[in-house]
Amino acid sequence: MRLGKRQLQELLYYMVLTRRLEEALARLHREQELTTPLALRTGLEAVGVGASFALTPKDAIASSLPTVGTLLLRGVKPEEIVLQFLGKETSPSQGRDGLGYFGDLARGIVATTGHPATHVSVMAGMAFAYRSQKQERVALALIPEEAVATGDFHEGINFAAVQKLPLIIVVVRYPSYGMDSGVTQLYERAKAYGVASLPVDGSDLVQVVQVVETAMERARAEDGPTLIEAVLRSSRRYFGNESAIPAPFSAGAHDIEDDEGAKDVDNDPAWRFEKFLLQQDWLSEADRSTLVARAEEAVSDALRTADSTPAPKAQHSESAVYARVES
Amino acid sequence: MSEVTYLEAIRQAMWDEMERDERVVLLGEDVGLYGGAFKVTAGFVEKFGTQRIIDTPISEEGFTGVAIGAAFNGLRPIVEFQFIDFIANAFNMITNFAAKSRYRWGAGVPIVMRGPTGGGVRAGPFHSQNPEMHFVHTPGIKVVVPATVADARGLMKSAIRDEDPVLYLEHKKLYRHIKVAAEELEGQEELVPIGKAAIRRRGKHIVVITYGAMLYTALEAAEVLAGESIELEVIDLRSLVPLDKECILEAVGRINKVILLHEDTRTGGMAGEIAAIIVEEAFDDLDGPILRVTAPDTPVPFAASLEDAFIPQVEDVVRAARELSAY
């Protein structure tokens, strides 16, 4: 796909919005002394925004990675994200689940569970249904590197390979991470399944978009699934309410206030892309200021809405468990 | 005059539903070319093709995930577990993905999970289990246990048309042993409602509440006791979730003495749950202790002598009834 200047600027906007929104959530976590685990980190913006952008509206995505960028690109509003994060009454799940488990089939978002690869076979099932109903659509599962150690990953990719389904799996490699899978080149594992695989610089938005598009072309040509290994140049966890974060996860936590002045234009996906656009003259300083101001305004609006929204009324919502409850 | 077996009724119900609704697909190990380990799906792949009858790799967690994803995209999958014991391998996918999606994010999972349960065929600890309580205890799943030919057909049709995940437990010992004349089946209800028990024998001294293959044990015990002027009423629950509390409490109100009978093990079994309901809601109706007749808290043993001692027998029910008569 050829991208015009406005589209490129819009992609930068979504990366900046992702960053600002996630920072705001981390601040809320600290200010409100939330005890919910804070599963947010920098460095995922190119993968989250890029993979979601490459898909068409009729495709579906599921992610066990903490990035709001995938959701924003599917049309989820910033205020929905803050409401879901805080479990407010009018959040998309009415307070029954949090941000990491956001789903909406109408917008092509499948919510996964608390284990990192359960959605791989579920997305293979979506892909199976697309094919059997002769729909030209693809399903994409975003997973972190530790997910490849699970049986879910194996069973899902194996089924997709046997059936040659239009499924794309994007595995994200962190530069360093506590639950390391012990494997250096994950994309090579795909050979064992007879699945095509591609490594990509996961901090480079343009490359992410291109590689997902290549995988989509393969899917449309009925060439089967593709495994993409997206290696991040840098990634840091956000630092919220410290007491809520178990020790192994708080290592290397990122104090949001520290990031303001020092932009890592080589390794940080958002600032790397911003630098690229500035260098190419596809973005002026004035454009940049407007875009950042727009993102910040969207975030403040979302925070204001969430602030004035009550918590769900205490009740047993048993009626929400089944489609119909027999008396 | 032709006869219809319990197995044939399951087969016919799935066949009819697949003819009626092209969204219905069936997946599992050896369900296609081989026709299923118990031949429940013999002839299906020839009729419906490999896009609707899907032979899967041995990967219960994975193919249950596939069924969930396919259901999200409009199909109505039936998942066969070759032996229901193997459902343990899909526990995470069923209890976390299928059971919770509607509650968390409004995504219904209309799938049927079915397979042969129970002992009595000398198949040992891994091919004889009764896993219902793992799922009865998980909000979001319905559990049905047909005991008769008409219910095997009627509950399967209702399960396929249900909007929620339904676990359909078929007792392997009933497959070819229970049969009715084809004409007799003609007049029976086509869609047996999920959540409604059936009174199989009327009596006024003791009510035996049971389900699955134990129905026949209860009915035999009733015959024996009729000679001693002890009249048993026998209730076949048919559904464990939702549970027909109304039927149970109505019978307790009339009969005042209760035996709870199941092939499943004792601790945490369905009998304990029903006993608690009766004590909470109908304590004043009771004229004696609620007695449980169940398997002991061990794995299902292999040797015939051990298995016969494990599975509740007619004499066990007769003994309990005599004991209760003394009150």
Side-chain angles (χ1 to χ4, degrees):
Chain A
M1 165 187 345
R2 288 181 62 84
L3 300 178
K5 185 171 141 181
R6 285 194 58 171
Q7 263 178 316
L8 291 166
Q9 289 188 7
E10 202 59 11
L11 282 170
L12 178 61
Y13 167 73
Y14 276 108
M15 288 214 280
V16 173
L17 178 59
T18 299
R19 178 67 54 85
R20 291 287 176 261
L21 193 49
E22 292 184 346
E23 284 170 352
L25 298 180
R27 280 196 200 93
L28 281 177
H29 196 271
R30 184 185 303 175
E31 288 160 12
Q32 301 189 8
E33 297 186 346
L34 303 180
T35 54
T36 181
L38 183 69
L40 291 171
R41 54 164 58 240
T42 66
L44 292 165
E45 295 84 355
V47 175
V49 170
S52 227
F53 175 75
L55 297 178
T56 70
K58 64 187 181 177
D59 302 322
I61 191 165
S63 176
S64 53
L65 280 151
T67 172
V68 305
T70 49
L71 304 178
L72 293 169
L73 265 284
R74 303 300 291 177
V76 179
K77 296 186 191 76
E79 70 175 56
E80 291 180 274
I81 286 167
V82 183
L83 290 168
Q84 182 85 358
F85 180 76
L86 294 173
K88 294 293 184 101
E89 187 175 42
T90 54
S91 77
S93 77
Q94 297 166 273
R96 294 188 205 118
D97 208 343
L99 181 58
Y101 309 99
F102 185 101
D104 180 3
L105 289 175
R107 290 183 279 196
I109 305 161
V110 173
T112 189
T113 69
H115 211 256
T118 46
H119 57 302
V120 174
S121 61
V122 172
M123 296 312 276
M126 295 280 284
F128 181 87
Y130 293 159
R131 189 183 62 193
S132 76
Q133 294 172 107
K134 301 190 170 39
Q135 300 166 345
E136 199 178 87
R137 303 161 75 179
V138 304
L140 189 147
L142 207 51
I143 58 173
E145 60 182 37
E146 64 270 22
V148 304
T150 68
D152 280 318
F153 171 76
H154 167 72
E155 293 188 16
I157 193 173
N158 187 53
F159 185 87
V162 169
Q163 289 278 342
K164 290 190 87 171
L165 298 176
L167 175 72
I168 302 168
I169 302 172
V170 180
V171 186
V172 173
R173 301 295 313 273
Y174 300 127
S176 64
Y177 196 62
M179 285 190 271
D180 199 300
S181 57
V183 180
T184 50
Q185 288 175 313
L186 295 178
Y187 74 96
E188 293 196 330
R189 286 194 173 196
K191 289 178 190 164
Y193 298 100
V195 166
S197 65
L198 301 160
V200 68
D201 181 342
S203 299
D204 190 299
L205 180 82
V206 175
Q207 287 187 48
V208 170
V209 172
Q210 283 171 341
V211 78
V212 174
E213 283 177 347
T214 303
M216 289 172 71
E217 280 161 24
R218 293 193 69 259
R220 290 197 194 100
E222 300 187 6
D223 287 339
T226 305
L227 180 75
I228 296 169
E229 179 179 4
V231 184
L232 303 188
R233 290 164 174 264
S234 76
S235 178
R236 287 195 294 172
R237 291 189 63 88
Y238 281 105
F239 184 69
N241 174 22
E242 194 180 10
S243 63
I245 306 170
F249 298 102
S250 58
H254 165 45
D255 197 339
I256 40 184
E257 267 78 28
D258 290 345
D259 196 39
E260 295 298 324
K263 287 184 177 176
D264 183 349
V265 295
D266 293 322
N267 300 312
D268 183 297
W271 310 139
R272 179 183 167 83
F273 189 59
E274 181 187 87
K275 180 187 164 195
F276 169 70
L277 294 190
L278 287 167
Q279 278 175 344
Q280 299 292 322
D281 266 340
W282 288 333
L283 182 78
S284 67
E285 275 300 333
D287 293 335
R288 203 194 80 85
S289 306
T290 312
L291 181 152
V292 171
R294 216 179 110 209
E296 284 170 354
E297 196 187 331
V299 173
S300 347
D301 286 350
L303 292 174
R304 232 184 341 267
T305 304
D307 197 43
S308 60
T309 305
K313 285 179 203 69
Q315 61 179 343
H316 299 298
S317 37
E318 283 169 12
S319 61
V321 176
Y322 296 98
R324 267 193 319 275
V325 178
E326 284 77 2
S327 54
Chain B
M1 188 175 65
S2 72
E3 287 184 318
V4 181
T5 62
Y6 178 92
L7 183 147
E8 174 59 23
I10 297 168
R11 196 189 108 82
Q12 194 62 49
M14 293 194 296
W15 185 281
D16 288 353
E17 290 301 299
M18 291 194 76
E19 279 196 320
R20 188 188 67 86
D21 183 350
E22 63 177 22
R23 299 172 304 166
V24 180
V25 300
L26 195 149
L27 66 166
E29 293 147 12
D30 296 327
V31 295
L33 286 177
Y34 188 69
F38 289 87
K39 299 291 172 194
V40 179
T41 55
F44 275 56
V45 74
E46 291 80 0
K47 162 80 176 178
F48 300 107
T50 53
Q51 283 302 294
R52 294 185 68 196
I53 306 297
I54 306 133
D55 274 324
T56 66
I58 298 182
S59 50
E60 286 79 5
E61 169 94 345
F63 64 68
T64 304
V66 166
I68 294 168
F72 284 156
N73 202 49
L75 298 185
R76 315 283 292 198
I78 303 169
V79 179
E80 174 175 311
F81 295 97
Q82 194 163 71
F83 283 81
I84 207 68
D85 309 64
F86 310 154
I87 202 169
N89 292 57
F91 191 75
N92 174 50
M93 198 60 80
I94 297 168
T95 60
N96 285 321
F97 223 122
K100 295 178 176 61
S101 288
R102 180 183 295 286
Y103 179 81
R104 297 194 300 128
W105 56 291
V109 181
I111 62 172
V112 178
M113 297 164 284
R114 51 160 286 265
T117 67
V121 300
R122 317 316 183 198
F126 303 114
H127 299 80
S128 306
Q129 295 176 74
N130 294 289
E132 55 265 32
M133 295 313 290
H134 299 304
F135 305 100
V136 168
H137 191 64
T138 302
I141 302 168
K142 295 181 179 180
V143 181
V144 301
V145 195
T148 67
V149 174
D151 284 352
R153 181 184 69 177
L155 284 170
M156 176 56 78
K157 291 191 175 193
S158 294
I160 292 170
R161 298 185 197 188
D162 202 276
E163 296 301 325
D164 289 307
V166 179
L167 177 60
Y168 177 101
L169 300 171
E170 49 205 60
H171 201 293
K172 64 175 79 68
K173 213 181 165 188
L174 303 182
Y175 274 157
R176 292 179 174 82
H177 285 116
I178 301 298
K179 53 188 91 167
V180 295
E183 294 107 70
E184 197 184 315
L185 193 58
E186 288 289 302
Q188 307 272 357
E189 59 186 338
E190 190 88 10
L191 292 167
V192 173
I194 294 176
K196 294 286 173 213
I199 298 174
R200 299 297 183 195
R201 182 181 173 119
R202 290 279 179 177
K204 60 185 179 192
H205 298 125
I206 295 169
V207 57
V208 180
I209 301 171
T210 191
Y211 59 91
M214 284 292 114
L215 168 64
Y216 301 97
T217 306
L219 291 173
E220 270 190 62
E223 280 300 312
V224 172
L225 289 160
E228 302 173 22
S229 298
I230 299 173
E231 292 179 27
L232 294 192
E233 174 145 326
V234 178
I235 292 179
D236 172 8
L237 289 172
R238 306 201 283 187
S239 297
L240 303 184
V241 180
L243 183 66
D244 192 350
K245 271 169 53 172
E246 202 180 323
C247 176
I248 294 168
L249 295 173
E250 186 277 329
V252 175
R254 277 189 288 115
I255 301 172
N256 319 120
K257 290 180 182 175
V258 183
I259 291 173
L260 302 169
L261 167 67
H262 57 61
E263 185 182 315
D264 188 13
T265 53
R266 196 170 189 84
T267 303
M270 198 65 204
E273 180 60 29
I274 295 171
I277 291 170
I278 294 171
V279 169
E280 282 174 344
E281 301 188 31
F283 184 72
D284 290 342
D285 291 331
L286 291 173
D287 282 346
I290 298 170
L291 295 185
R292 288 181 290 174
V293 179
T294 69
D297 290 327
T298 73
V300 186
F302 172 69
S305 56
L306 294 177
E307 194 185 30
D308 288 344
F310 172 88
I311 296 175
Q313 304 292 328
V314 174
E315 309 85 83
D316 299 317
V317 180
V318 168
R319 199 179 309 118
R322 285 178 187 145
E323 186 187 330
L324 199 48
S325 290
Y327 283 88

